Amino acid sequence: MKKDFTDVSKHYAARSHEKMKEVLMDPGGNGPVIHYYMIRGGSEQKNVTIWEPGTISGEYIKTYGHYHIGDLSENYWIVYGEGIALIQKLAENEKDEMILDVVEEFRAIPAKPGQKIFMPPGFGHLLVNTGKTYFVTMDDSPVDFEERDPANFPGHADYEPVKKMRGFAYYVVEKNGQPALKRNPLYKTINKEDLGGFPKLDFSC
Ligand SMILES: [Fe+2]
């Protein structure tokens, strides 16, 4: 039977500064009330995401980031603006559980309009707006509209590991007007990394 959730928006959601504090480099920094907007159509109609431009204590506005539940990949099409995609795969223990502070592989991928970026299964992903305008993408991740509040928190996405680690292994920060990558000190080890040509900053910078 079709469920009727009249108190949540079926297709539209927005990620607030309040929620994003969980994963910001500086949770006390000032930012816009809404960091990004989502219109979710699922695999067929696609999902549209629009980022505000700007920084919070030097960190560029980004999506929260998540891992997929199950063996699910995803494609992102860059529509407008300028950004960077971050993807990371965590190490796993013998029970196939993620080891939260050990990254098996990390990649930063420059994202320009016309480009398609593939998010492989097992890789957590987020995108960052490093431009001066909105950054706009489309993606083909599935949305089960039978769930409660699917636009805001779709069931295929696991946000908890990102929340516990206060973001990904690197934050994308503005340094002399250009994007640079700054390590998140909560991650102990990164076994393999490709920073996409972006400079790397020390913990202390
Ligand atoms: Fe995803």
Side-chain angles (χ1 to χ4, degrees):
M1 204 179 83
K2 225 172 168 58
K3 294 174 190 134
D4 182 24
F5 300 124
T6 52
D7 60 335
V8 292
S9 172
K10 185 176 175 188
H11 292 278
Y12 171 73
R15 199 67 82 218
S16 67
H17 181 71
E18 207 49 40
K19 179 70 183 166
M20 289 302 292
K21 282 179 182 176
E22 296 170 358
V23 293
L24 289 178
M25 183 177 72
D26 176 13
N30 288 320
V33 175
I34 302 296
H35 286 206
Y36 59 99
Y37 313 89
M38 299 161 276
I39 301 162
R40 298 214 201 249
S43 311
E44 281 179 29
Q45 291 193 92
K46 311 289 180 277
N47 310 293
V48 181
T49 307
I50 303 172
W51 286 247
E52 288 284 350
T55 56
I56 295 102
S57 300
E59 184 185 13
Y60 289 103
I61 288 176
K62 63 182 176 184
T63 44
Y64 193 102
H66 61 252
Y67 297 84
H68 286 169
I69 293 164
D71 197 28
L72 180 70
S73 63
E74 184 176 7
N75 292 294
Y76 269 84
W77 291 270
I78 313 303
V79 177
Y80 186 76
E82 196 177 312
I84 301 174
L86 303 184
I87 68 173
Q88 66 179 34
K89 187 173 172 54
L90 298 179
E92 290 180 347
N93 65 18
E94 58 286 345
K95 291 184 198 155
D96 293 338
E97 295 160 340
M98 292 189 279
I99 303 169
L100 295 187
D101 58 359
V102 180
V103 179
E104 201 56 57
E105 187 177 350
F106 176 91
R107 286 178 64 197
I109 305 162
K112 299 236 159 74
Q115 205 174 333
K116 179 172 126 178
I117 298 178
F118 178 68
M119 309 299 187
F123 277 77
H125 41 276
L126 64 79
L127 287 105
V128 184
N129 182 3
T130 55
K132 300 211 177 323
T133 65
Y134 286 150
F135 180 56
V136 183
T137 66
M138 296 184 78
D139 71 78
D140 62 358
S141 71
V143 176
D144 179 357
F145 290 106
E146 294 296 296
E147 291 167 355
R148 181 176 180 80
D149 204 2
N152 214 357
F153 297 106
H156 72 274
D158 182 6
Y159 298 91
E160 278 306 304
V162 188
K163 182 179 179 181
K164 284 184 182 142
M165 298 306 289
R166 311 204 64 85
F168 273 21
Y170 282 93
Y171 298 109
V172 182
V173 299
E174 185 176 19
K175 184 80 179 169
N176 304 324
Q178 298 294 323
L181 296 171
K182 187 167 173 177
R183 270 290 292 271
N184 174 347
L186 292 181
Y187 289 84
K188 282 204 195 86
T189 314
I190 301 173
N191 289 326
K192 186 180 170 196
E193 65 182 22
D194 171 358
L195 301 186
F198 297 105
K200 182 173 170 173
L201 302 179
D202 276 348
F203 291 118
S204 53
C205 283

